[in-house]
């Protein structure tokens, strides 16, 4: 099982670990593209601070993120699972998983990123600010930039098992499963059970809990249909829509009573 996650806008500090080593990151086929984006981002942020803040969509209160990006090559690095914070990652709470579940997380979780393309939670990265929606001056929209490198790297990462796609729309632009990979991919919507309306804040928390439940239970569904049954056994109310034709992903609705 491969689980595709969005990153978080907020991130923990880099800490005092050894600096980034691009060649040590998972999915080595992305190394050249990572170097390109990293170089563009560092150059942008080491120059005109106001321009960098505008490009990155940062408020005045986040001005310090520009200086942080300028030092990415020398900043301390930590496991990505410690860098990413926010609602989904709070609910996932990797640090409190038992050892077996943490090993499963290391194998199965892949976090998409405007800067790195995608990383495993064990990959050591510095704290940064660069969303997939950013248009860097020399590269254009990052979602479009990453499509070719990701198309080369992700099918191998997906292997021959289930792909559980929990990414937000901006990060889904970087790679869309195709062909037989799409047929074993499941996307998830979180709906308020009484109204069938999509929820926002609770959407992220629910997705984090779903991943935690699967990792903790050691469940390894081989495809979307098996995932539906596994989630129901774990106590989730799930409705699933099989694709209308080949080459499309399954759509799963997880129904929740709470929306806060």
């Amino acid at each position: 099982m491969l689980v595709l996650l969005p990153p978080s806008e907020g991130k923990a500090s880099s800490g005092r670990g050894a600096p980034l080593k691009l060649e040590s990151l998972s999915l080595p086929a992305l190394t050249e593209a990572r170097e390109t984006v990293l170089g563009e981002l560092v150059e942008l942020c080491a120059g005109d601070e106001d321009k960098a803040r505008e490009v990155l969509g940062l408020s005045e209160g986040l001005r310090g993120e520009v200086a942080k990006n300028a030092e990415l090559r020398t900043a301390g690095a930590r496991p990505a699972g410690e860098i990413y914070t926010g609602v989904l990652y709070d609910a996932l709470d990797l640090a409190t998983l038992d050892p077996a579940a943490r090993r499963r997380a290391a194998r199965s979780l892949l976090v998409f990123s405007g800067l790195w393309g995608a990383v495993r939670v064990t990959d050591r990265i510095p704290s940064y600010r660069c969303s997939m929606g950013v248009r860097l001056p020399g590269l254009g929209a990052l979602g479009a930039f990453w499509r070719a490198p990701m198309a080369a790297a992700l099918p191998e990462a997906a292997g021959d098992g289930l792909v559980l796609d929990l990414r937000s729309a901006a990060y889904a632009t970087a790679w869309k499963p195709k062909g037989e990979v799409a047929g074993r991919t499941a996307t998830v919507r979180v709906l308020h059970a009484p109204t069938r309306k999509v929820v926002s804040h609770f959407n992220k928390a629910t997705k984090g809990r779903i991943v935690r439940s699967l990792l903790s239970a050691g469940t390894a569904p081989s495809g979307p249909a098996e995932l539906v049954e596994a989630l129901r056994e774990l106590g989730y109310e799930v409705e699933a829509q099989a694709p209308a034709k080949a080459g499309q992903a399954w759509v799963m609705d997880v129904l929740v009573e709470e929306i806060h």
Side-chain angles (χ1 to χ4, degrees):
M1 178 175 68
L2 182 69
V3 182
L4 310 181
L5 297 175
S8 57
E9 285 298 318
K11 299 174 183 67
S13 63
S14 293
R16 299 181 179 179
L20 169 73
K21 292 183 178 180
L22 279 179
E23 67 276 10
S24 72
L25 299 181
S26 301
L27 306 181
L30 300 179
T31 300
E32 183 177 348
R34 288 167 175 153
E35 177 59 47
T36 299
V37 179
L38 178 63
E40 289 280 340
L41 182 62
V42 169
E43 181 179 358
L44 170 69
C45 293
D48 186 329
E49 186 177 273
D50 289 329
K51 178 183 178 181
R53 192 160 60 84
E54 180 182 356
V55 169
L56 296 174
L58 301 177
S59 66
E60 175 65 33
L62 293 173
R63 183 176 288 271
E65 299 292 292
V66 175
K68 184 169 71 174
N69 280 349
E71 302 297 329
L72 282 172
R73 293 190 185 277
T74 56
R78 295 167 60 186
E82 297 177 13
I83 290 289
Y84 294 115
T85 60
V87 176
L88 187 154
Y89 292 91
D90 284 346
L92 175 53
D93 200 5
L94 288 167
T96 63
L97 290 173
D98 64 54
R102 285 199 295 272
R103 289 192 293 272
R104 295 181 198 112
R107 293 193 302 268
S108 63
L109 304 188
L110 198 63
V111 184
F112 273 59
S113 163
L115 176 53
W116 316 116
V119 292
R120 303 281 186 185
V121 293
T122 50
D123 285 334
R124 298 181 65 84
I125 58 172
S127 182
Y128 67 97
R129 182 65 71 116
C130 184
S131 71
M132 191 66 80
V134 163
R135 299 179 65 90
L136 289 176
L139 298 179
L142 288 176
F145 170 82
W146 280 111
R147 283 177 199 148
M150 296 293 249
L154 265 292
E156 181 179 354
D160 57 3
L162 169 70
V163 178
L164 176 55
D165 189 352
L166 303 180
R167 297 172 296 167
S168 53
Y171 290 89
T173 63
W175 181 63
K176 181 179 180 180
K178 296 180 180 180
E180 65 89 18
V181 178
R184 48 187 167 86
T185 296
T187 62
V188 172
R189 299 186 303 178
V190 181
L191 305 182
H192 185 215
T195 64
R196 289 304 198 273
K197 291 183 178 180
V198 176
V199 300
S200 53
H201 175 90
F202 206 73
N203 167 64
K204 296 177 181 179
T206 300
K207 288 179 177 178
R209 291 181 187 127
I210 286 171
V211 177
R212 183 179 177 88
S213 296
L214 292 169
L215 294 173
S216 297
T219 303
S222 58
E226 292 81 2
L227 175 63
V228 172
E229 295 307 312
L231 289 177
R232 287 173 176 166
E233 290 177 5
L234 290 168
Y236 293 93
E237 185 177 355
V238 181
E239 296 176 350
Q241 301 173 36
K245 58 183 180 180
Q248 295 181 335
W250 285 56
V251 177
M252 292 173 38
D253 292 335
V254 176
L255 308 179
V256 298
E257 297 292 334
E258 301 177 69
I259 57 174
H260 300 295

